C-alpha cells in the first residue's frame, strides 16, 4: 500500500509538471478565442541610411540600361554585400543620386510611393514612355538574442516579416525560453522603445507589434 501511495503521488507530480511545462512553452494557447482575420501589414517608410536596389524595366531593355546597375542575385550573401556597396544610399538629406535624374528625395516615402515617383519623373522628363520601376530595401534586418537556437542578425526583403517568421528563422526558442516575456526593441524617430510580448497568447497577432 505504501508503494501504491508513492506511485500515486508520483503520477500527480508528473502530470502537474507536464501541464505546467506545456503552459510555458506552447504558442497561441487561446487561438480558438480569436476570430479569423487578415493582418494588415504596413508599408514601411524609407529612412536615412537605407540602401536601395532600384531597377527600371521597359519593353526594350536597351532603353533602360542607363538607369540600371548590375542585377545580382539576392540569394547569395556575397552578392548581397556587393549590391549594398553599389546600391542607392539615402543620404542625410533624404536623397538618392539617380542616373540622369540626379537627386531624388525619397525619405519618408514607402517603397510603392518611391516607385511611382521615379516612374513619373522618367516619363515627365521624356526619358521613357511606359517604364516599370521596382524598389527594394537591401539592408532590412533584425537581431534576435537570448534563448533561441540560432541567435544573430538576419537579413530580409519582404514587407510581411513578422515575429513568428523571425523566431522561425532563428531556429525557434529553446526549451528554456520565456515565451510569455519576449522583449521587442524598436528604434523609432531616434527613440528606443521596448515592448513586452506574450507568445503564449494570440492577442499580439492583431497588434502593431506583430510586424517586424
Amino acid at each position: 500500500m505504501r508503494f501504491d501511495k508513492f506511485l500515486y503521488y508520483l503520477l500527480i507530480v508528473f502530470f502537474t509538471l507536464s501541464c505546467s511545462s506545456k503552459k510555458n512553452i506552447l504558442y497561441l494557447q487561446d487561438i480558438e478565442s480569436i476570430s479569423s482575420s487578415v493582418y494588415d501589414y504596413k508599408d514601411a517608410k524609407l529612412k536615412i541610411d537605407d540602401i536601395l536596389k532600384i531597377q527600371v524595366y521597359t519593353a526594350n531593355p536597351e532603353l533602360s540600361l542607363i538607369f540600371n546597375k548590375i542585377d545580382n542575385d539576392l540569394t547569395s550573401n556575397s552578392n548581397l554585400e556587393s549590391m549594398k556597396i553599389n546600391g542607392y544610399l539615402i543620404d542625410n538629406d533624404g536623397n538618392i543620386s539617380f542616373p540622369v535624374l540626379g537627386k531624388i528625395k525619397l525619405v519618408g516615402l514607402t517603397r510603392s510611393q518611391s516607385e511611382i515617383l521615379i516612374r513619373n519623373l522618367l516619363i515627365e522628363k521624356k526619358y521613357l514612355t511606359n517604364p516599370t520601376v521596382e524598389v527594394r530595401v537591401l539592408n532590412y534586418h533584425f537581431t534576435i538574442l537570448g534563448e533561441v537556437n540560432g541567435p544573430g542578425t538576419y537579413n530580409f526583403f519582404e514587407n510581411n516579416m513578422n515575429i513568428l517568421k523571425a523566431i522561425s528563422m532563428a531556429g525557434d526558442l529553446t526549451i528554456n525560453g520565456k515565451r510569455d516575456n519576449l522583449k521587442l526593441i524598436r528604434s523609432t524617430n531616434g527613440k528606443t522603445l521596448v515592448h513586452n510580448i506574450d507568445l503564449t497568447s494570440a492577442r499580439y497577432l492583431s497588434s502593431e507589434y506583430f510586424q517586424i
Side-chain angles (χ1 to χ4, degrees):
M1 290 294 294
R2 294 180 62 183
F3 177 77
D4 290 341
K5 286 185 177 180
F6 173 76
L7 181 60
Y8 171 74
Y9 288 121
L10 184 62
L11 288 173
I12 290 178
V13 171
F14 172 77
F15 285 114
T16 301
L17 290 176
S18 297
C19 293
S20 175
S21 177
K22 287 183 178 180
K23 184 177 180 181
N24 291 332
I25 66 174
L26 291 180
Y27 296 101
L28 309 174
Q29 296 177 26
D30 56 351
I31 189 66
E32 293 83 3
S33 65
I34 306 296
S35 59
S36 61
S37 61
V38 178
Y39 181 81
D40 185 19
Y41 286 92
K42 296 179 181 178
D43 198 353
K45 294 183 178 181
L46 302 178
K47 309 181 301 300
I48 291 173
D49 289 335
D50 276 349
I51 303 173
L52 310 179
K53 174 190 175 185
I54 302 176
Q55 291 293 121
V56 179
Y57 302 96
T58 53
N60 183 352
E62 292 183 358
L63 296 177
S64 57
L65 282 178
I66 191 173
F67 302 104
N68 292 329
K69 298 184 178 183
I70 298 174
D71 188 12
N72 289 319
D73 182 6
L74 287 176
T75 59
S76 166
N77 285 333
S78 60
N79 282 343
L80 175 58
E81 293 306 312
S82 175
M83 292 185 69
K84 285 181 181 179
I85 294 172
N86 295 297
Y88 296 98
L89 175 68
I90 299 182
D91 62 25
N92 289 333
D93 295 320
N95 302 315
I96 64 166
S97 183
F98 197 72
V100 183
L101 294 177
K103 295 283 186 180
I104 304 176
K105 195 173 192 67
L106 296 183
V107 72
L109 300 181
T110 64
R111 290 189 308 110
S112 58
Q113 289 172 336
S114 64
E115 290 170 347
I116 294 171
L117 174 61
I118 295 172
R119 180 181 187 277
N120 289 342
L121 287 173
L122 290 170
I123 295 173
E124 290 171 8
K125 300 293 184 179
K126 301 186 184 302
Y127 295 122
L128 299 172
T129 55
N130 189 29
T132 298
V133 178
E134 180 185 82
V135 176
R136 300 183 73 175
V137 181
L138 297 176
N139 57 333
Y140 276 160
H141 65 276
F142 65 86
T143 299
I144 185 166
L145 302 172
E147 289 289 347
V148 290
N149 289 297
T153 297
Y154 294 84
N155 295 303
F156 66 95
F157 306 103
E158 62 269 33
N159 188 59
N160 61 342
M161 175 59 64
N162 59 56
I163 290 175
L164 293 179
K165 286 184 179 181
I167 293 174
S168 176
M169 289 174 68
D172 200 3
L173 273 69
T174 67
I175 193 67
N176 296 318
K178 294 185 177 181
R179 289 154 175 78
D180 61 349
N181 190 23
L182 185 76
K183 304 292 184 184
L184 175 64
I185 302 174
R186 284 181 178 168
S187 294
T188 306
N189 298 323
K191 296 182 179 179
T192 300
L193 304 175
V194 181
H195 309 281
N196 294 326
I197 295 177
D198 181 0
L199 295 176
T200 66
S201 171
R203 286 177 295 180
Y204 71 91
L205 293 178
S206 59
S207 79
E208 61 181 296
Y209 310 121
F210 181 57
Q211 182 178 1
I212 296 294

